[in-house]
Amino acid sequence: MKRMTIFLAALCASAAVQAQDVESVLAQIEQNNRNLEAMRHESDAAKLEVRSQNNLEDPSVEYSPFFAHGADGIASSELVVSQGFDFPTLYAARRKAGRLQSEGIEGRYGIARRDILLEAQLLCFEAIRLDRERDLLERRMKSADELLSLFERRLEEGDASALEVNKIRMERMDVAAELSRNVAARTTVMESLCAMNGGRRVSMEGADYPAMPSVGDFDAFRERMLSEELDLQVSEADTRAAQQEVRVNSQNWLPKLEVGYRRNTDMDDAVNGFLVGASFPIFSNRHKAGVAKARYAASQLRTEDVKEQTEARIRSLYSDLEQSAATMRTYDLSLMRSTLELLRRAVESGELSVIEYYVEADGIYSNMLSYVEVENSYYSTLAQIFRNDL
């Protein structure tokens, strides 16, 4: 029974790190990322803080006992209970300003979440690129091993030279070094994903690039990107909040009001009454309207700047995507694979020397690695284009 329990535990542990697609990895990171969880709490705290700015003032209670010569105990006393509040229209204006500020807070959290998930997605894409590079290097290593075995046998039979055998060994050495660098780079990527996932490991073995939306023509693409850009939405929300703050401060001349209850006692007699008062903000609100207007003007300029930067980013990404797609179309993978096979047969049959084989094969392998790089660049550009969809 104990062995069965250990077996089941091992099975569950292996299932926990089984190969995952990019979408499932991002879903896990969104749930487990410590920084993202901390920002959720900070966002909630900031929204509560905004709401607290529109609370009523605290009620005030004052009690004053008076003592007189010849009187036994308290000769008289005064009790005052009062409540101060702003002019009623200010609460409505501040409530609207608070809603707009909360929109900005939620938007900033959305930007932080998007950036974390985009970073994780790009790391996943890098893991996929490294896996494809490793597969190519492993095929190259397998080919070198088979050729080395063949030519070592030929060397013993006198049908090959030591130079040819050494050339194959040099090829194996170079590929082994590339494989070692590949493994180290992938380990770094997976450790970064593990850290982003709250210390929980993920597996990207066999993962592929996810299906991505099509871009279409530039004008429609531009309109969609501008409408979905979170940075621009947050900047516009901040501008609306700043504009509402100007309206709030335009009412600062209204008096603060105070109402209350007063009770005075004198020996056995008691007098009850009401307290009504007003405070006129002649000095306390000086320059506040000017400050609000200056912040509103700055917010408008900032929004214009964000819009211009967004448009420049859109054009740059669209251009990069078109260039990557055009470059990918120039590579014929099936042609390169078949050419490698033909070269392999030629060197094995003696029609081609090892030196000539590697001159041709190195160029083909270099092109195949370039395709892996361009493919990764293409999907990474798509990820940045559609980052607001995460």
Side-chain angles (χ1 to χ4, degrees), residues 291-337:
V291 170
K293 290 178 181 178
R295 286 177 176 166
Y296 174 49
S299 183
Q300 287 179 303
L301 292 172
R302 194 172 294 113
T303 297
E304 289 298 320
D305 181 63
V306 171
K307 186 174 182 180
E308 290 174 1
Q309 290 184 19
T310 300
E311 293 216 21
R313 178 177 173 275
I314 290 170
R315 294 182 184 279
S316 176
L317 289 174
Y318 192 84
S319 175
D320 290 345
L321 188 69
E322 283 193 321
Q323 184 176 359
S324 296
T327 305
M328 287 174 64
R329 287 193 294 269
T330 63
Y331 290 99
D332 190 334
L333 292 178
S334 60
L335 175 63
M336 288 188 282
R337 293 191 189 102

Side-chain angles (χ1 to χ4, degrees), residues 48-62:
L48 288 173
E49 188 175 13
V50 167
R51 290 175 59 185
S52 69
Q53 294 174 359
N54 202 30
N55 290 341
L56 287 170
E57 295 181 10
D58 295 326
S60 173
V61 179
E62 298 179 9

Side-chain angles (χ1 to χ4, degrees), residues 30-211:
E30 182 175 9
Q31 180 180 359
N32 299 325
N33 186 269
R34 305 285 175 79
N35 190 26
L36 197 54
E37 184 178 1
M39 286 189 288
R40 279 195 292 266
H41 290 299
E42 289 175 349
S43 178
D44 292 340
K47 286 189 286 186
L48 288 173
E49 188 175 13
V50 167
R51 290 175 59 185
S52 69
Q53 294 174 359
N54 202 30
N55 290 341
L56 287 170
E57 295 181 10
D58 295 326
S60 173
V61 179
E62 298 179 9
Y63 175 72
S64 302
F66 300 98
F67 303 91
H69 181 70
D72 186 14
I74 298 174
S76 61
S77 64
E78 182 181 53
L79 172 67
V80 178
V81 180
S82 62
Q83 171 70 59
F85 55 91
D86 290 316
F87 206 80
T89 56
L90 265 173
Y91 291 102
R94 280 203 295 255
R95 185 166 55 250
K96 184 175 181 180
R99 284 199 303 268
L100 293 172
Q101 290 174 26
S102 294
E103 286 181 17
I105 292 169
E106 290 178 0
R108 274 182 280 277
Y109 168 75
I111 290 174
R113 172 191 168 277
R114 177 204 66 190
D115 291 345
I116 288 174
L117 293 182
L118 176 62
E119 180 184 355
Q121 188 178 46
L122 292 177
L123 284 171
C124 290
F125 286 1
E126 179 65 7
I128 294 171
R129 183 194 71 79
L130 290 168
D131 284 347
R132 297 192 174 184
E133 182 184 84
R134 183 191 62 199
D135 291 342
L136 190 58
L137 291 171
E138 286 176 347
R139 289 201 299 270
R140 194 171 180 177
M141 177 65 81
K142 181 181 177 182
S143 176
D145 287 339
E146 291 173 350
L147 283 177
L148 181 61
S149 177
L150 173 64
F151 274 80
E152 283 179 339
R153 187 170 63 251
R154 287 183 178 179
L155 179 63
E156 293 175 358
E157 297 171 353
D159 292 335
S161 67
L163 181 61
E164 289 177 314
V165 173
N166 287 343
K167 175 61 179 175
I168 300 172
R169 288 173 177 166
M170 292 288 290
E171 166 72 6
R172 287 189 76 260
M173 182 179 66
D174 291 341
V175 175
E178 289 295 327
L179 273 171
S180 179
R181 284 191 286 269
N182 176 279
V183 170
R186 194 181 190 283
T187 300
T188 300
V189 169
M190 298 312 294
E191 289 297 331
S192 297
L193 284 172
C194 178
M196 295 186 74
N197 196 34
R200 298 171 175 85
R201 295 200 173 276
V202 298
S203 175
M204 294 291 298
E205 291 292 341
D208 200 356
Y209 292 109

